[in-house]
Amino acid sequence: MKALVTAALISATALPALAFDPANMTEAEKAAFGEAVRDYLMANPDVLIESINVLEERRLADEARNDELLVENNRTAIFDDGHSWVGGNPEGDVTLVEFVDYRCGVCKRVSPDVEKLISADGNIRWIVKEFPILTQESDMAARFAVAVQQKAGPDAYKQAHDALMESRGPVNLESLTKLAGDLELDSQAVLNRMNTEEVSAVLRKNHQLAEQMRIMGTPTFIIGGEMLRGMPTEGLEGAIARARAAKAEG
């Protein structure tokens, strides 16, 4: 009975039709079967939990396969867009792409872990994609970071990125002017650059890519062919290992 009920539950929600076909039952048979299923589930609720778990596993597997296809279809924009900052080991055997928002609390919290992983591993190519989605301050911070990169280069960008991740204060013209000065940059030149088409184009392309990838939150990571929507509780090491294993298999 347990196997029949489980098969019936899964068939009714997600699977193709099985040999068991309620459509061929009479109304009386359907009513009797429904009552029997209800009585069984009331006495054995673990069967329903088991069915839900199976369906959830299949849903997650389908989402993972869809994400892999999205990564494969957008590889150039993800891994070689020509405008995103590239750090870590530029010649690394695995690339880690991170979509960030400087006003995202989770991004700030996991930033030290990402830095530690990249430093300890030594063979990870790291790409940061500015993806401001939360507030106007998010947009200002991202524009500042991109403007710094365009005006002063990748090393200055990394310093600005770190400072913005560590900052807990407001993001406004005053704080950004001070940050540019702390970084020994031409504050006015950076601020003037923030609202130019060159900076807007970078953010626009990142948003277009995120829309194509169905990315709606930060942080989002892409490692190899895998997309991680948020930081996994176990960290990123597993995804790094899987990417290396997939690469070794060819």
Side-chain angles (χ1 to χ4, degrees):
M1 181 63 176
K2 178 178 178 180
L4 177 60
V5 171
T6 301
L9 288 169
I10 295 177
S11 176
T13 54
L15 295 180
L18 303 177
F20 173 76
D21 186 4
N24 292 327
M25 299 171 69
T26 67
E27 291 302 318
E29 290 171 336
K30 290 178 182 179
F33 178 75
E35 188 63 28
V37 170
R38 180 184 181 281
D39 291 344
Y40 185 82
L41 291 178
M42 293 297 290
N44 301 274
D46 58 303
V47 175
L48 186 57
I49 295 172
E50 178 183 338
S51 301
I52 291 172
N53 289 340
V54 169
L55 292 173
E56 179 65 8
E57 289 174 1
R58 289 174 178 166
R59 183 186 69 80
L60 292 175
D62 287 342
E63 286 186 356
R65 284 192 291 270
N66 288 338
D67 284 349
E68 288 174 2
L69 288 174
L70 289 172
V71 172
E72 184 60 32
N73 291 336
N74 293 278
R75 292 193 68 84
T76 299
I78 294 168
F79 299 109
D80 191 23
D81 62 18
H83 62 254
S84 292
W85 176 83
V86 179
N89 180 351
E91 305 300 323
D93 64 340
V94 170
T95 298
L96 182 157
V97 179
E98 181 181 9
F99 286 75
V100 301
D101 182 317
Y102 292 116
R103 304 310 283 174
C104 165
V106 178
C107 294
K108 290 178 179 291
R109 189 174 73 247
V110 305
S111 180
D113 297 326
V114 175
E115 294 270 5
K116 182 178 179 181
L117 169 64
I118 292 170
S119 176
D121 184 285
N123 204 24
I124 297 173
R125 180 174 177 253
W126 180 24
I127 296 175
V128 175
K129 299 220 183 255
E130 304 290 343
F131 185 45
I133 55 174
L134 294 178
T135 68
Q136 182 62 32
E137 290 188 353
S138 301
D139 185 71
M140 287 187 69
R143 286 180 175 278
F144 178 84
V146 175
V148 168
Q149 181 182 11
Q150 292 180 353
K151 292 295 293 183
D155 292 340
Y157 169 88
K158 182 57 167 60
Q159 291 180 307
H161 171 85
D162 291 347
L164 290 167
M165 277 297 177
E166 293 168 4
S167 172
R168 297 299 183 267
V171 176
N172 51 42
L173 288 178
E174 182 181 357
S175 65
L176 293 178
T177 299
K178 181 179 184 306
L179 176 54
D182 291 342
L183 298 178
E184 299 182 352
L185 302 174
D186 183 336
S187 300
Q188 197 57 52
V190 172
L191 295 178
N192 288 343
R193 183 79 174 191
M194 286 173 55
N195 291 316
T196 62
E197 172 57 22
E198 289 83 355
V199 170
S200 296
V202 169
L203 300 184
R204 186 167 57 248
K205 289 176 183 177
N206 287 353
H207 278 275
Q208 289 170 346
L209 174 61
E211 184 176 354
Q212 292 169 351
M213 300 292 294
R214 300 173 190 171
I215 294 172
M216 295 177 286
T218 55
T220 293
F221 300 93
I222 299 174
I223 301 173
E226 187 174 357
M227 183 154 52
L228 305 173
R229 301 177 186 273
M231 173 67 88
T233 55
E234 68 275 13
L236 301 175
E237 289 83 355
I240 295 293
R242 289 190 292 273
R244 285 191 170 125
K247 190 173 183 179
E249 291 174 1

